[in-house]
Each structure stands twice: as C-alpha cells, then as structure tokens.
Amino acid sequence: MSAHWRPMGPADLPTVERIAEIVHPGYPESPEVPAERLALFPAGCLIARDGHGSVLGYAVSHPGTLGRPPALDSLLGGLPPDADCLYLHDVALLPEARGLGLGESLVDILRDLARRRGLPALALTAVNRSAPYWRRRGFSDHPGDAALAAKLASYGDDAAYMVITLDRSVQSA
C-alpha cells in the first residue's frame, strides 16, 4: 500500500482530534491547539493518506525557538519573530500506517520546508519511548537548561528534546 502527505485544511481538524485521542491518549490537547497551529502556519500542517484516500495520521509543525518548545496543550498566540527551528509539535499515525515510510518522508518534507523558510534546524519532543525512532531519522538529543527540563516534565519521564541541524549550503530560494 502506498501513502503520502498532503496539506491539512480546516475541514481535517475533527479527524485530527479523533486520531489524537487514539494515538496520544496520555497527551491530551484541546482542539484549539491544532486549529491555532494550522491558522498560524498552514505550511507545517499535514495529513497522511493511503492510496485509497483514507486518513492515516497527521503532523503539525511551526517555526519555533531552539530549546524552548511550547508546553503541552498551550496556545502560541503567534509565531516567534526570531524563530531558529521548525518545531514538529505533533505527529500521530494510526497503527495501519506503520511500515509505509511516512515518518521518513515527513522528515524529508520538514527538512525542505525548514530550508525554504531559512530555519537552520528541526526540533521535536520525543515521547512514548520514541527517541530511538527519531535518532534513526537523524535527530540527536539536545542539551537543555532548567526551563527546558520543566517543560519536558509535563510530557513524562521519557520525554527527550531532539534536534537536527540542517546543512545550510542546500537552502533553496
């Protein structure tokens, strides 16, 4: 079965909420969180679909500041004017999406988006023992300070803030 990512639209938000409840029951966020991210940065919000058009998951990303991820279930209020990374806020894939290469293709899409926006890094907070998965896709643990540690604590004991530094020589216009 083939699968691909497409842009998310406002009509997808009820499906995003349903998938979040299935995939991330321990990390609840209000429906306003993905809706705000979509409104602030639609280029970073994607839907995964299979070849038959069934939705398999979603990804929500936005410009951010390295080492300063937003707290779980919090609104941004706006994008940081001094953004220095593209932050992958949430990715949720249904079990039937496993093995279809969506995680790898998502990282490729986000690398390209970050480069086009002049952002030198990708960042995320790995949860649910997913850090090894993200390491295989090029992310590495990012040392943090007390403020970062406090935010990570809300995500659970295994939360890890991870970063990929992009090769700036390949930025496109």
Side-chain angles (χ1 to χ4, degrees):
M1 175 174 26
S2 66
H4 65 278
W5 292 97
R6 67 154 173 84
M8 181 188 294
D12 294 310
L13 290 170
T15 302
V16 166
E17 185 176 352
R18 180 182 60 80
I19 292 171
E21 289 170 356
I22 293 168
V23 177
H24 297 312
Y27 304 95
E29 290 194 304
S30 69
E32 291 79 17
V33 172
E36 182 201 45
R37 303 306 197 266
L38 177 61
L40 289 173
F41 195 68
C45 299
L46 305 167
I47 292 290
R49 294 178 62 165
D50 68 15
H52 304 291
S54 297
V55 175
L56 299 172
Y58 67 87
V60 175
S61 68
H62 55 81
T65 304
L66 277 174
R68 298 290 179 252
L72 184 65
D73 196 28
S74 65
L75 297 177
L76 299 175
L79 298 176
D82 57 346
D84 57 5
C85 70
L86 182 63
Y87 183 73
L88 177 54
H89 174 78
D90 190 9
V91 59
L93 295 170
L94 294 170
E96 54 268 36
R98 292 198 178 107
L100 298 178
L102 286 164
E104 198 165 318
S105 64
L106 175 62
V107 172
D108 290 342
I109 289 167
L110 296 180
R111 280 178 189 260
D112 183 57
L113 177 58
R115 285 182 180 120
R116 284 182 305 175
R117 298 294 174 132
L119 299 169
L122 298 180
L124 59 80
T125 300
V127 297
N128 285 334
R129 299 173 301 282
S130 65
Y133 174 87
W134 293 111
R135 283 186 194 105
R136 289 191 300 274
R137 272 136 197 89
F139 285 84
S140 57
D141 294 60
H142 182 74
D145 56 16
L148 177 59
K151 281 195 181 170
L152 291 180
S154 72
Y155 288 88
D157 292 343
D158 75 328
Y161 186 76
M162 306 181 82
V163 174
I164 291 178
T165 301
L166 302 175
D167 178 0
R168 296 181 67 101
S169 65
V170 226
Q171 287 182 1
S172 54

